[in-house]
Amino acid sequence: MGMKHYPPEFKADAVALYRWRPGATIVSVAVDLGVNAETLRNWIRGAGNASATSPPAAPSKRPDTSLEAENRALRKEVAELRQEREILRRAAKYFAGRDEPVSRFQFVADHQRLFGVKRLCRVLGLPRSGLYRWIDSAPARAARSAADARLAERIRAIRTDSDGTYGVPRITAELRDAGERVNHKRIEHGMRAFEIVGLHLRKRHRTTLADPVARKVADQIGRDFTAVEPNTRYVGDITYLPVAGAPPLYLATVIDLCSRRLAGWAIADHMRAELVVDALIPAQRARGDLRGAIFPSDHGSQYTSKAFADACDDAGVTRSMSAVGSSADNALAEAFNASLKRETLRHAKHWPTARQARLDTFRWVTRYNTRRRHSSLGQVSPTAYEAAFTTSTTTLTQAA
């Protein structure tokens, strides 16, 4: 129990302790001394009144009160500066030691017991009203954080199902088809926040080798590499499939310019004309009939060969080549090749074996037709696009 009667020396020391502790409160000093706060407040008031009414002491025996006041002010200022320096030091360590973005309001909330809200907000240049709004919005932030975490899990599941190949547009389309109302910007933000990284394009390797003495064919499409309906225009190309410690394999493709469907393809360990012929045959088998279709190609020796010309004549396909070769002439097929290697090799430089290259390519081209969403088709797969096209055409025919 505290003392009921306090000697004058105790009271004077208590008042001095309060006055000489920068930032101290009457309550905190009273707790330290074990006295009642109101009692300490009365002592402080009494000490102030006594100093005001007591007669001045002899100049030779009292220190200069103006110097005392100045010293007290300087000591208080130094204490304040030390507090501010400590706040800034802790703030620098607080923000630099974390990987995730941290709000300055969060720093205030974590250190308010040590330094007080008023001083922290003043040093950091924050409005206290903003701090209180931030505190009030904590439940909403927690709910948003939980929703973002759930969205990240769905994004990871979709990327896993797509072999880690889908980026923002295709993931957005997948979620919307599943009934999720989500903006592509939120998907982009979520992937960035949770470090879900997409795949990037690889360096191109030249496979088009022109034959300067080969007979060229006329340009049938005038560089219009589009088609209004499936099975009317195709484009093809050859790309290499690198294999570790062995010669590369080569893939030839036949792609529908309307639906982007891979109608035919072939893999071989050479780039002879038979390769492109072997790709055209399964396209004819898949479509049932290619008669009337146009096949624009580059000026590679395989596509200007007699073997390929004969195969096109047998299938009823008209060949087409622009007068001057351009990278834009084969952009669609080259984009297909780039996507294939980016999404199968991922960031590797080559396949470990030729067999693995064949199997990975087989799996990817099959999923490409049936499941992989295509941006130019409104984020649906080629087979889904052709099914919708057939349904729409049938409906219009019946209505007519």
Side-chain angles (χ1 to χ4, degrees), residues 259-300:
S259 66
R260 306 300 196 263
R261 178 179 174 179
L262 181 64
W265 59 281
I267 295 180
D269 58 1
H270 62 80
M271 284 199 303
R272 296 191 296 271
E274 301 97 284
L275 178 62
V276 294
V277 173
D278 289 344
L280 184 65
I281 293 173
Q284 184 179 15
R285 186 165 53 245
R287 288 305 196 186
D289 189 2
L290 292 177
R291 296 187 182 281
I294 300 175
F295 192 104
S297 69
D298 59 30
H299 292 252

Side-chain angles (χ1 to χ4, degrees), residues 141-376:
R141 288 198 309 278
R144 180 57 181 258
S145 179
D148 287 344
R150 291 192 296 269
L151 179 61
E153 288 302 314
R154 291 196 290 272
I155 291 173
R156 289 192 182 96
I158 292 172
R159 280 180 56 78
T160 298
D161 189 55
S162 69
D163 291 340
T165 61
Y166 275 12
V168 172
R170 292 186 176 92
I171 290 176
T172 303
E174 194 80 19
L175 288 170
R176 286 176 177 172
D177 280 358
E180 182 80 17
R181 298 181 60 183
V182 62
N183 187 284
H184 73 278
K185 292 183 178 179
R186 189 179 176 201
I187 300 298
E188 182 178 5
H189 170 76
M191 293 180 67
R192 184 168 57 250
F194 289 91
E195 298 182 350
I196 304 173
V197 183
L199 296 174
H200 306 284
L201 291 173
R202 296 178 56 84
K203 184 179 179 180
R204 291 175 55 192
H205 181 85
R206 185 183 180 191
T207 54
T208 301
L209 301 175
D211 184 354
V213 299
R215 181 181 178 182
K216 304 299 187 294
V217 297
D219 184 358
Q220 302 290 335
I221 63 174
R223 290 195 171 180
D224 178 15
F225 293 92
T226 61
V228 296
E229 60 181 288
N231 199 26
T232 56
R233 288 183 179 182
Y234 292 89
V235 68
D237 194 22
I238 300 174
T239 189
Y240 83 110
L241 308 176
V243 179
L249 298 177
Y250 295 94
L251 169 70
T253 54
V254 178
I255 304 172
D256 193 301
L257 283 173
C258 175
S259 66
R260 306 300 196 263
R261 178 179 174 179
L262 181 64
W265 59 281
I267 295 180
D269 58 1
H270 62 80
M271 284 199 303
R272 296 191 296 271
E274 301 97 284
L275 178 62
V276 294
V277 173
D278 289 344
L280 184 65
I281 293 173
Q284 184 179 15
R285 186 165 53 245
R287 288 305 196 186
D289 189 2
L290 292 177
R291 296 187 182 281
I294 300 175
F295 192 104
S297 69
D298 59 30
H299 292 252
S301 59
Q302 300 85 355
Y303 293 106
T304 58
S305 67
K306 184 178 184 302
F308 185 69
D310 291 343
C312 287
D313 290 342
D314 292 343
V317 174
T318 301
R319 292 186 298 152
S320 173
M321 290 183 187
S322 60
V324 179
S326 169
S327 59
D329 292 352
N330 220 23
L332 189 150
E334 290 179 355
F336 172 92
N337 296 336
S339 296
L340 162 66
K341 283 186 274 193
R342 181 176 68 249
E343 297 178 10
T344 51
L345 280 175
R346 299 164 186 274
H347 298 291
K349 294 182 179 180
H350 44 64
W351 277 276
T353 64
R355 176 175 173 77
Q356 190 65 50
R358 289 178 180 272
L359 291 176
D360 285 352
T361 302
F362 170 73
R363 182 173 185 270
W364 190 88
V365 297
T366 303
R367 288 169 61 94
Y368 171 88
N369 278 339
T370 59
R371 296 191 60 184
R372 189 180 185 276
R373 295 176 181 273
H374 205 294
S375 58
S376 66

